[in-house]
Amino acid sequence: MLDNFEKLWKDALFEIEPNVSKANFSTWFKDTSISKYDNGVVLIDVPNDFVRERLSTKYYKFIISSLRNLNPTIRHFECLIVSKPRKTEFIDKKQITKNSQSNEEQLGFQDFNIDTEANLNPKYTFDSFVVAPFNEVAHSASVAVSKSLGNLYNPLFIYGGVGLGKTHLLQSIGNEIRKNKPSAKVHYLTSEKFANDYVLAIQNKNISLFKEKYRKYNLLIVDDIQFFSDKLKIQEEFFHVFNALYDGNNQIIFSSDKPPQYIVGLEDRLKSRFEGGMMIDISQPSLEERMAILRVKMQQKSYLISDEIIDFIARNIKENIRELEGALNSVIGQSKIRGKILDLKEVEDILKRKIKPIKIVTVDHVIKIIAMYYNIEEKSLSEKTRRQEIVKPRQIAMYLLRNDLNTSYPYIGRRLGQKDHTTAIHAYKKITNDIKNNKSLEQEVISIREIIFKA
Ligand code: ADP
Ligand code: MG
């Protein structure tokens, strides 16, 4: 008999927690509970659609195996959304139509009105930032920093792929500070701008002015610091700026397309400074999240698009939010030009140019990239050896072939020189598991994947 749901879920979470990063755990498992058990099926209450989707796909195996460990009669679980959707997902429509016109106009005007001292674009605010689980942690850390400059997370380091909202968040912090504390000295720039300024200062022989300038800020935001890569002299100069600001309790915020340890040609002492603060990633938005963003953006633009078309755009534009917004703008623009609401076929035609053809990736291609990545010979991946420098790449190859290409285990086994398929199954399970506990392995697999699928 299974009746103490609270205890069951608590015990299950206790097992799940060590396998999931802290941020993910709180994002995906908070506000969940078990509400029912019937004939082998457990019902898990979840707060929204994002969580439902994530628990029933990515975390399904995890959850079900810990539940079954606790009670073997459990066969399956389902999620039920119990509370209202997040308020950020669906903004009150009436309010939108009331405000949007003036907002739009204001934005158009404000675009040219960049605060030159702070170098902030006023359109990037927390208000216009859509929060969803994939960026929720980065968002709340940014809000927290804007409320407690220099004291809480210093430095704050946000990383993630292009077009996922890093600049938007960083500038929102700056704008928030400018609004609430006009006396604070705020400055936003990219690492490239910093590098150029430095070179100019050298040329013009006013390096002391340069040093002074960057040491006076209460909040310095440096975007895209991956461009410091290999610029050692500039890194050295920046290191001193960082220390001066930090020692004076001033806030420093960074973004990058990858975590510091993966930025090639970045000095160790800078890496350790970056890692000394708070590091947060923005991950890729899921389908549901892309749809939610489109809905909010559509409302902000006071334009109505059918669910079918939202679904079509979100399914096909996966890379990032910038492209998602670009696609939405094209559809709205065309619709205005043609003076009518577009049907799905017309939208398909418009977006055809924007949608990248899916790259067909072969087994050979994957093996070639893995060999290249680990600097070993392709044929050694199929050798019968237990040498660690071969075993690990081979297991990753097996994992990727299974996970990303859906290749059959027997084929994977044969192709990589094994007699039977159990090695492939073992490798798949091992890497799946190891990734969860090993950030650097996870990042390795992400990097390999990027190379494999690069168009
Ligand atoms: P990144 O700096 O990570 O490359 P950006 O901050 O430049 O990405 O974002 C790209 C575009 O997408 C910008 O126009 C930004 O306003 C928009 N955007 C990104 N994330 C969000 C979000 N969560 N809500 C609303 N707009 C977003
Ligand atoms: Mg950016």
Side-chain angles (χ1 to χ4, degrees):
M1 187 55 196
L2 207 173
D3 50 11
N4 191 344
F5 298 149
E6 200 183 323
K7 177 163 178 359
L8 174 66
W9 192 226
K10 225 169 134 186
D11 291 345
L13 290 181
F14 188 74
E15 273 193 35
I16 294 167
E17 188 171 1
N19 297 305
V20 180
S21 77
K22 208 164 163 229
N24 271 331
F25 187 76
S26 74
T27 305
W28 301 111
F29 291 92
K30 77 165 184 242
D31 300 332
T32 56
S33 57
I34 291 181
S35 62
K36 203 173 154 196
Y37 171 76
D38 187 16
N39 199 13
V41 180
V42 164
L43 201 63
I44 301 178
D45 287 354
V46 297
N48 58 48
D49 223 23
F50 298 129
V51 176
R52 184 185 56 95
E53 197 254 351
R54 197 49 75 102
L55 296 196
S56 37
T57 53
K58 183 160 179 215
Y59 293 117
Y60 185 85
K61 280 191 205 148
F62 252 151
I63 298 172
I64 200 68
S65 76
S66 56
L67 286 173
R68 283 180 56 81
N69 276 344
L70 297 162
N71 186 319
T73 65
I74 297 172
R75 286 180 292 110
H76 173 62
F77 75 82
E78 276 171 16
C79 292
L80 181 73
I81 302 169
V82 285
S83 61
K84 285 194 184 130
R86 303 170 53 84
K87 91 174 183 298
T88 39
E89 249 173 87
F90 300 103
I91 292 176
D92 178 7
K93 255 196 187 147
K94 269 185 255 136
Q95 209 185 336
I96 287 292
T97 29
K98 203 172 75 213
N99 294 337
S100 55
Q101 194 59 34
S102 60
N103 264 351
E104 282 277 281
E105 277 167 14
Q106 232 179 336
L107 287 193
F109 170 64
Q110 286 181 346
D111 259 356
F112 298 98
N113 197 10
I114 292 174
D115 175 340
T116 46
E117 169 64 25
N119 192 31
L120 291 165
N121 185 332
K123 84 170 182 179
Y124 292 127
T125 62
F126 288 131
D127 279 348
S128 61
F129 190 82
V130 185
V131 186
F134 77 99
N135 61 23
E136 188 174 38
V137 181
H139 172 261
S140 43
S142 302
V143 171
V145 163
S146 75
K147 291 195 174 127
S148 178
L149 217 52
N151 298 319
L152 194 58
Y153 307 133
N154 202 13
L156 173 65
F157 190 106
I158 295 181
Y159 65 92
V162 276
L164 292 177
K166 300 184 297 295
T167 298
H168 191 140
L169 264 185
L170 262 51
Q171 293 222 6
S172 300
I173 302 175
N175 279 317
E176 189 70 15
I177 297 293
R178 296 282 295 142
K179 189 173 81 190
N180 298 333
K181 224 177 151 201
S183 63
K185 293 195 189 65
V186 176
H187 193 68
Y188 165 93
L189 82 172
T190 62
S191 67
E192 276 177 310
K193 172 83 170 45
F194 183 88
N196 292 343
D197 266 17
Y198 177 73
V199 173
L200 264 177
I202 299 267
Q203 279 169 4
N204 299 336
K205 302 196 171 48
N206 51 11
I207 195 80
S208 56
L209 210 69
F210 173 88
K211 284 185 199 282
E212 229 173 88
K213 174 177 168 189
Y214 286 105
R215 282 164 174 72
K216 71 173 190 222
Y217 294 115
N218 304 114
L219 166 60
L220 183 66
I221 305 172
V222 188
D223 207 351
D224 289 322
I225 58 116
Q226 68 270 18
F227 295 118
F228 275 156
S229 162
D230 289 333
K231 301 191 175 103
L232 294 184
K233 192 74 196 96
I234 282 151
Q235 287 181 30
E236 186 189 331
E237 199 54 47
F238 185 74
F239 181 73
H240 297 306
V241 168
F242 180 95
N243 288 341
L245 290 176
Y246 185 84
D247 291 343
N249 266 340
N250 298 299
Q251 178 78 45
I252 312 132
I253 306 179
F254 302 105
S255 86
S256 165
D257 65 350
K258 46 180 104 55
Q261 68 266 38
Y262 292 97
I263 303 174
V264 195
L266 186 67
E267 270 191 77
D268 283 346
R269 58 180 186 171
L270 262 187
K271 276 184 198 164
S272 76
R273 286 292 187 280
F274 295 156
E275 286 163 0
M278 178 74 162
M279 282 209 287
I280 298 175
D281 70 319
I282 300 188
S283 56
Q284 217 70 31
S286 67
L287 173 64
E288 308 238 356
E289 290 172 324
R290 296 197 297 278
M291 287 169 59
I293 288 169
L294 282 172
R295 288 210 178 88
V296 175
K297 297 249 167 199
M298 165 185 95
Q299 291 178 336
Q300 284 171 349
K301 294 171 202 285
S302 355
Y303 198 82
L304 204 67
I305 291 175
S306 70
D307 283 349
E308 184 188 35
I309 287 176
I310 293 273
D311 185 87
F312 176 79
I313 301 175
R315 272 181 204 284
N316 288 286
I317 311 274
K318 302 188 196 118
E319 273 73 22
N320 62 49
I321 298 166
R322 183 178 292 123
E323 295 194 16
L324 213 54
E325 193 167 8
L328 184 68
N329 286 340
S330 315
V331 170
I332 295 177
Q334 280 298 319
S335 163
K336 282 187 176 153
I337 291 168
R338 298 180 201 183
K340 65 176 192 123
I341 296 198
L342 306 181
D343 62 24
L344 184 61
K345 177 79 186 57
E346 289 165 317
V347 171
E348 276 181 41
D349 288 342
I350 291 169
L351 296 190
K352 227 177 228 152
R353 272 170 295 126
K354 287 190 177 284
I355 300 170
K356 287 199 191 117
I358 294 167
K359 186 176 176 197
I360 311 248
V361 169
T362 61
V363 172
D364 285 351
H365 178 68
V366 172
I367 291 173
K368 190 172 126 203
I369 301 292
I370 301 252
M372 190 187 78
Y373 187 89
Y374 288 103
N375 202 14
I376 51 181
E377 287 202 47
E378 264 179 61
K379 64 174 192 301
S380 60
L381 279 169
S382 319
E383 271 166 20
K384 285 240 168 319
T385 170
R386 288 182 191 277
R387 270 170 35 228
Q388 205 40 43
E389 64 267 33
I390 305 295
V391 172
K392 182 181 154 192
R394 182 163 61 216
Q395 286 180 334
I396 291 181
M398 289 178 159
Y399 167 81
L400 284 169
L401 289 175
R402 180 65 194 172
N403 195 68
D404 294 38
L405 268 63
N406 215 5
T407 315
S408 79
Y409 287 124
Y411 183 81
I412 297 173
R414 279 201 308 280
R415 182 67 182 74
L416 288 167
Q418 309 297 314
K419 266 203 251 38
D420 70 326
H421 61 280
T422 49
T423 324
I425 296 178
H426 170 76
Y428 172 73
K429 286 194 179 151
K430 180 166 190 320
I431 301 296
T432 307
N433 216 19
D434 288 357
I435 284 175
K436 287 173 197 146
N437 304 314
N438 183 339
K439 264 267 165 212
S440 90
L441 180 69
E442 182 187 15
Q443 189 64 40
E444 230 166 277
V445 171
I446 292 174
S447 313
I448 296 171
R449 206 173 254 140
E450 267 173 18
I451 307 173
I452 291 175
F453 291 97
K454 196 169 61 187

